[in-house]
Amino acid sequence: MIRHLLSGADLDADTATQILDTAAEMAAVAGREVKKLPALRGRTVVNLFYEDSTRTRISFEAAAKRLSADVINFSAKGSSVAKGESLKDTALTLQAMGADAVVVRHSASGAPHRLAGWVDGSVINAGDGTHEHPTQALLDAYTMRSRLGRLAGLSVVVVGDVLHSRVARSNVLLLSTLGAKVTLVGPPTLIPVDIAAALAPGTDVCYDLDAVLPSADVVMMLRVQRERMNDSYFPSAREYARRYGLDGARMRRMPGHAIVMHPGPMNRGMEITPEVADSPRSTIVEQVANGVSVRMAVLYLLLGGNNR
Amino acid sequence: MNSYLIRNVSVLGAAPTDLLLRDGVVAEAGPGLSAPGATVVDADGLVALPGLVDLHTHLREPGREDAETVETGSRAAALGGYTAVCAMANTSPVADTAGVVEQVWRLGREAGLVDVQPIGAVTVGLAGERLAELGAMADSAARVRIFSDDGHCVADPRLMRRALEYVKAFDGIIAQHAEEPRLTEGAQMHEGEVSTRLGLTGWPAVAEEAIIARDVLLAEHVGSRLHVCHVSCAGSVEVLRQAKARGVRVTAEVTPHHLLLTDARAETYDPVYKVNPPLRTATDIAALRAALVDGVIDIIATDHAPHAVEDKECEWAYARPGMLGLETALSIALDVLGPEWDLIAERMSRTPARIAGLTEHGHDPAPGAPANLTLVDPAARRVIDPAESASRSRNTPYARMALPGRIVATFLRGEATVLDGKAVK
């Protein structure tokens, strides 16, 4: 098993599948009256969050606690070079406290890579800047597999602000590894240069959402921040919603079995309408539940819970 | 004054000969010289080059003496084979007055290891809003001729035009850091495949090319001299090639790191590879190397940029851009160009001396020439160890790399600044 989980590229097909299979076993625990396993008793997991993300932090915290690990929440919000402790000094502090795993969320791309060079324990990237969010990709893959029964051969359409999306990067890498076909859709200003060459050669780019909906098995909507329009990525929220938002009419052009995903938090009315978000095709609430199981599997496997 | 008899040295790759340095000049040259009382330097196997001249050095003093001082930077320069360096203006306070440039110039004289020629800021505080007192700096003891807001682009086209025009009165030159700031907001590395993969905001080549294109047109319009700092992209080379073909008075430099390292280095997220302009692609490197050989790019300049440990041992986005360069530049040139001694002398000594107006520098070692020269062992290979650097900082991107060539001795006006590969003071 790998030591750190920093990128979707760290996972080969076998490892990713092992994590998804383990997550399925973990999900069974959630159905029990006592939702706890002794696997990581005596191990310490630190949640090091430089950015607010209540949902991701709670998800990791629940996962670690269900495995009986000791959890330390270290909120370093607002920290920067100018104020507060450096990342290296924080790393050395966590190292001295005997952290077995550090779950890190940071606004700077690559911060988890830097951290991994300074601590002995496992580092799990819980979202770094505009780079990656590999456990989100794993929970998305898990959700697709649960709903559609497979990943190989699926046509997955990822829609929105790919340029700034760590979710998109991790999903492209992981889904391609697992044999799905990814198509990225958005205004050209929000699709980064050389994306296929950069991440996975089979990845397609399309600027027309309506063209790809009839053949999609999965449509994953990305959060689009309204402030992007002040940066001239698109003229207005209304125009964005009209061209790239998923509404009921568009949803009905998808095949009957196709699902709609969103990593949350949603901008209802911007990239997704309430009719779609609340429809039976939407997996948004399942994704949250699956997140805990997948993160249990990641912690369990990275910390060698299976060897004890 | 000491005199030195350098025995069996190959001047620019020619057959071995002897050189006698006395009274600050090369007094005699020829085989089998004798000079009683002179210190003998056995230069068997060594190549003599005119002392190197760096048009782009950050010495950090005043203001960031924890990263470098005029003295430590001068020592690093001498150990790299340099006899003159041009000190950039982005100090704290900024070198935008006669007082600051004279201070830097005086510190250089006191260190006495290389000639330190201050560069003056183009605009007050590098703020890009109004001209600094360029004439006062030109008339000062530092006799400033090169002006640059390096680190910042003089982005306002009207201000750039005025600066180019104004310095004609004292044969000045504007050295532009070509970066259209609206195209590089938040930029962290070259915009391309690697930046997309790493999720780091891209610095597109067009931000450099657009400013160079504008500036060569401005320089042409007003008939002034323009120097382009640290050219990093293939597209910029083509803009320069066309401008030179039209007779525009433009010169350009390339750094050693832009000749050797690609943006793939960023995959480590180690900010030792963060630099502005950023490391680019293999295609750009090939174009820059070809331009350096054919003369579209006139010189190699180091952009030696020391930074304190805490400014590099952090997240990529928070790190300061810049790399050390003085002690490794000649090795990179040898690696890239091979033992083309005349070309190396042209690109690293004669032409930069001419651009900077440093008349005592850039002369091949021959009778009557000022004794500013350096001796290189071309057969040596050395593994770069940051801890051995004479710079106060350690941010070399070449750590653990094996590079060809070693500076054995350097002479400034006939006095040794480096002997046996060690600084004499």
Side-chain angles (χ1 to χ4, degrees):
Chain A
M1 182 50 61
I2 54 176
R3 182 151 75 100
H4 306 296
L5 179 57
L6 306 177
S7 159
D10 294 340
L11 301 167
D12 60 21
D14 287 347
T15 308
T17 304
Q18 188 188 0
I19 291 172
L20 299 183
D21 292 346
T22 306
E25 294 172 33
M26 297 297 175
V29 176
R32 294 190 204 157
E33 194 174 339
V34 177
K35 298 179 176 56
K36 214 163 169 108
L37 293 173
L40 298 183
R41 196 159 56 200
R43 314 295 290 278
T44 301
V45 175
V46 177
N47 285 325
L48 177 61
F49 275 57
Y50 285 85
E51 257 186 1
D52 265 336
S53 175
T54 309
R55 38 202 302 148
T56 304
R57 186 181 58 73
I58 288 174
S59 181
F60 270 105
E61 187 172 350
K65 284 181 170 167
R66 284 186 191 172
L67 293 168
S68 305
D70 296 319
V71 179
I72 299 171
N73 287 315
F74 191 132
S75 171
K77 194 168 72 79
S79 186
S80 72
V81 175
K83 42 187 176 172
E85 192 175 53
S86 74
L87 182 65
K88 185 181 181 185
D89 286 329
T90 303
L92 298 179
T93 302
L94 301 178
Q95 175 71 16
M97 286 177 184
D100 295 292
V102 180
V103 177
V104 59
R105 161 68 66 103
H106 202 296
S107 60
S109 299
H113 283 78
R114 299 291 282 158
L115 197 63
W118 293 321
V119 298
D120 290 337
S122 291
V123 174
I124 299 169
N125 181 1
D128 62 328
T130 54
H131 178 224
E132 287 211 44
H133 193 356
T135 61
Q136 177 72 41
L138 282 163
L139 77 87
D140 289 339
Y142 181 89
T143 304
M144 290 175 213
R145 200 176 73 162
S146 316
R147 276 284 192 117
L148 302 170
R150 67 193 166 99
L151 288 163
L154 286 185
S155 171
V156 180
V157 175
V158 179
V159 187
D161 182 1
V162 177
L163 180 63
H164 299 98
S165 176
R166 48 200 177 206
V167 175
R169 279 179 183 71
S170 288
N171 262 302
V172 168
L173 288 165
L174 181 70
L175 291 171
S176 301
T177 299
L178 293 171
K181 168 86 183 168
V182 181
T183 303
L184 301 169
V185 178
T189 47
L190 291 175
I191 305 290
V193 296
D194 296 340
I195 181 86
L199 297 178
T203 309
D204 281 343
V205 172
C206 181
Y207 305 129
D208 181 359
L209 178 57
D210 292 308
V212 297
L213 288 176
S215 56
D217 298 303
V218 177
V219 177
M220 182 184 296
M221 305 305 296
L222 300 173
R223 177 181 170 81
V224 175
Q225 294 181 334
R226 285 170 194 274
E227 57 264 32
R228 299 286 177 226
M229 68 188 170
N230 300 329
D231 257 345
S232 300
Y233 287 104
F234 49 85
S236 67
R238 188 177 305 171
E239 174 157 327
Y240 182 87
R242 201 157 49 222
R243 292 178 67 85
Y244 298 104
L246 191 60
D247 60 8
R250 282 195 166 120
M251 181 173 69
R252 284 183 281 280
R253 288 206 283 278
M254 293 162 51
H257 68 275
I259 59 173
V260 175
M261 307 183 72
H262 194 299
M266 286 180 281
N267 293 308
R268 286 176 182 252
M270 176 85 171
E271 70 266 6
I272 193 166
T273 61
E275 180 191 357
V276 177
D278 300 331
S279 80
R281 289 170 183 268
S282 162
T283 64
I284 295 163
V285 178
E286 277 165 70
Q287 286 171 266
V288 175
N290 293 339
V292 177
S293 306
V294 162
R295 287 167 180 136
M296 286 173 77
V298 168
L299 286 167
Y300 177 79
L301 292 170
L302 257 58
L303 294 188
N306 51 340
N307 298 331
R308 284 159 64 92
Chain B
M1 251 191 149
N2 295 313
S3 49
Y4 291 91
L5 179 59
I6 303 170
R7 283 213 184 278
N8 293 321
V9 71
S10 163
V11 177
L12 293 155
T17 186
D18 296 351
L19 295 174
L20 177 63
L21 314 185
R22 195 169 53 205
D23 299 329
V25 297
V26 179
E28 291 178 59
L33 297 182
S34 74
T39 306
V40 174
V41 177
D42 175 13
D44 213 11
L46 306 186
V47 172
L49 294 174
L52 307 183
V53 176
D54 191 19
L55 212 65
H56 193 145
T57 309
H58 296 275
L59 294 176
R60 300 294 184 225
E61 189 175 3
R64 283 307 297 266
E65 291 83 354
D66 57 324
E68 195 79 287
T69 64
V70 172
E71 187 188 339
T72 59
S74 293
R75 191 170 294 118
L79 285 163
Y82 287 88
T83 52
V85 299
C86 298
M88 272 298 172
N90 62 337
T91 48
S92 178
V94 171
D96 58 2
T97 61
V100 177
V101 292
E102 284 189 353
Q103 181 195 1
V104 172
W105 175 76
R106 186 175 46 74
L107 288 166
R109 297 257 296 192
E110 286 168 4
L113 289 155
V114 291
D115 284 344
V116 174
Q117 172 57 55
I119 292 172
V122 178
T123 66
V124 175
L126 309 176
E129 288 165 3
R130 56 199 175 91
L131 291 182
E133 290 188 348
L134 308 179
M137 290 188 273
D139 294 341
S140 74
R143 296 179 43 78
V144 175
R145 288 295 177 274
I146 304 177
F147 299 89
S148 181
D149 276 2
D150 181 59
H152 302 268
C153 184
V154 181
D156 178 344
R158 195 174 66 147
L159 194 59
M160 184 62 181
R161 177 210 166 133
R162 298 275 188 257
L164 285 165
E165 278 179 313
Y166 189 79
V167 300
K168 282 160 79 171
F170 34 85
D171 197 27
I173 185 166
I174 304 295
Q176 176 72 295
H177 171 119
E179 173 182 0
E180 167 50 55
R182 289 285 286 153
L183 288 174
T184 59
E185 280 172 23
Q188 297 293 330
M189 67 172 295
H190 172 65
E191 180 178 294
E193 191 182 315
V194 182
S195 68
T196 291
R197 181 159 59 244
L198 299 183
L200 291 170
T201 306
W203 197 127
V206 66
E208 176 176 300
E209 295 153 5
I211 290 292
I212 297 176
R214 181 200 77 177
D215 286 355
V216 295
L217 292 171
L218 286 174
E220 187 172 26
H221 182 62
V222 298
S224 295
R225 290 169 73 202
L226 168 70
H227 178 74
V228 184
C229 296
H230 42 51
V231 172
S232 68
C233 347
S236 303
V237 169
E238 287 317 304
V239 173
L240 289 165
R241 190 186 304 281
Q242 291 169 24
K244 286 188 162 191
R246 288 201 308 277
V248 180
R249 298 170 74 200
V250 58
T251 52
E253 70 189 35
V254 62
T255 69
H257 47 272
H258 287 115
L259 290 170
L260 192 70
L261 307 175
T262 69
D263 60 342
R265 298 271 166 173
E267 285 174 352
T268 59
Y269 285 105
D270 184 342
V272 78
Y273 301 113
K274 179 174 173 175
V275 64
N276 191 22
L279 300 177
R280 300 207 186 264
T281 67
T283 306
D284 294 300
I285 287 179
L288 293 169
R289 289 181 176 194
L292 185 65
V293 171
D294 69 24
V296 168
I297 289 178
D298 301 84
I299 63 168
I300 295 176
T302 67
D303 196 4
H304 177 83
H307 285 298
V309 170
E310 65 271 21
D311 290 326
K312 284 290 190 182
E313 221 170 43
C314 59
E315 296 86 333
W316 180 282
Y318 302 161
R320 287 174 186 270
M323 310 176 158
L324 299 185
L326 287 169
E327 291 173 79
T328 44
L330 185 69
S331 289
I332 306 295
L334 271 171
D335 195 54
V336 167
L337 299 172
E340 299 288 333
W341 301 112
D342 190 65
L343 183 63
I344 288 173
E346 192 64 28
R347 299 284 180 258
M348 299 185 76
S349 177
R350 297 178 204 136
T351 309
R354 197 160 56 238
I355 293 169
L358 297 171
T359 52
E360 295 293 293
H361 293 271
H363 301 285
D364 292 352
N372 297 318
L373 63 144
T374 189
L375 307 183
V376 192
D377 179 359
R381 276 193 93 76
R382 57 194 178 122
V383 175
I384 304 303
D385 177 358
E388 289 177 359
S389 174
S391 167
R392 187 158 281 184
S393 292
R394 295 290 172 262
N395 55 308
T396 172
Y398 311 111
R400 296 174 300 284
M401 286 175 68
L403 295 175
R406 189 174 72 93
I407 300 294
V408 176
T410 306
F411 298 90
L412 176 65
R413 280 184 285 280
E415 291 292 341
T417 55
V418 174
L419 274 180
D420 296 326
K422 294 183 177 60
V424 295
K425 61 177 177 180

